[in-house]
Amino acid sequence: MSLVTLHVYDITNTSYESANAAITNLNRFTKDALGAGGIFHGAVEVNGYEWSFGYCDQGTGVYPCPPKGNTGYTYRESVALGVTSLAPARVQGMMHVLQTQWPGHQYELLSRNCNHFCQELCLRLGVEAPPHWVNRFASNADATVTAVTYARDQTHRAMAEITSAATAAWEGLVGIAGSSQRESRGTGGGASGGASARAPSAGAAHAGSPGHGGSTASDSTAPDAART
């Protein structure tokens, strides 16, 4: 059985002293004064080693260092998490597995950082999880990003559906208008053709009617006048 301890550091590994000081002051205010958490690096000590997770281009992101001895950050405080029932050899084997499962290039500031690794390690050790305030800023930021991304995706999907519906409606209207025009032209053409077909027949009947005579002007001259 071994004691398990969380070591918390202020993140002061930026290239600017002013930024490092600002983070330390922010953590002092948000954690100490408000109890709301801050910007922290976390690591878990078990069996004399402190284990944590960070970014690297190749290989595992899981690494050990002496307890409270990570020189990349500024040590702040420690939190007791309980006692693991796992034997040291079992813990060592588990750490080898975690080193393969947590490659450094998969590090992500908001959703897969050092504090997420500490949560996973504590779960496997069978002890309490790190307090929420250690990773609260990253968790809240990740939730905000997730919500914004979801809202954006839903908006894009709604706009695509509206565009599709509008396109379908427009195509339907165009189809109806085209059909009406074709029917109109078909009706007009039939009436004109019928009139043309009837015109010669009407002219012939008109020329042969008794009231107008069926012969030429010379044929209609009276017989007596023709003899004079």
Side-chain angles (χ1 to χ4, degrees), residues 79-96:
V79 179
L81 299 176
V83 176
T84 180
S85 61
L86 300 179
R90 179 78 177 275
V91 172
Q92 190 65 27
M94 184 178 65
M95 297 313 302
H96 286 309

Side-chain angles (χ1 to χ4, degrees), residues 162-179:
I162 291 172
T163 300
S164 177
T167 300
W170 173 253
E171 291 176 350
L173 290 173
V174 170
I176 293 173
S179 177

Side-chain angles (χ1 to χ4, degrees), residues 46-133:
V46 59
N47 296 327
Y49 291 95
E50 176 183 301
W51 295 89
S52 192
F53 172 70
Y55 175 83
C56 60
D57 291 330
Q58 296 180 345
T60 182
V62 178
Y63 61 93
C65 72
K68 306 179 186 179
N70 193 325
T71 58
Y73 308 99
T74 301
Y75 173 76
R76 178 183 180 86
E77 62 183 284
S78 297
V79 179
L81 299 176
V83 176
T84 180
S85 61
L86 300 179
R90 179 78 177 275
V91 172
Q92 190 65 27
M94 184 178 65
M95 297 313 302
H96 286 309
V97 172
L98 287 172
Q99 285 179 319
T100 64
Q101 295 177 341
W102 288 73
H105 70 273
Q106 290 185 357
Y107 178 93
E108 209 287 320
L109 181 63
L110 300 182
S111 61
R112 192 177 175 84
N113 61 32
C114 57
N115 296 311
H116 294 103
F117 171 78
C118 290
Q119 292 174 3
E120 176 69 17
L121 178 53
C122 289
L123 177 65
R124 298 195 183 201
L125 290 171
V127 297
E128 295 181 18
H132 292 301
W133 58 262

Side-chain angles (χ1 to χ4, degrees), residues 136-162:
R136 180 169 291 153
F137 276 22
S139 299
N140 290 345
D142 185 49
T144 300
V145 170
T146 300
V148 170
T149 301
Y150 176 79
R152 180 200 63 194
D153 292 344
Q154 292 301 309
T155 300
H156 288 172
R157 182 177 302 174
M159 290 302 297
E161 292 177 354
I162 291 172

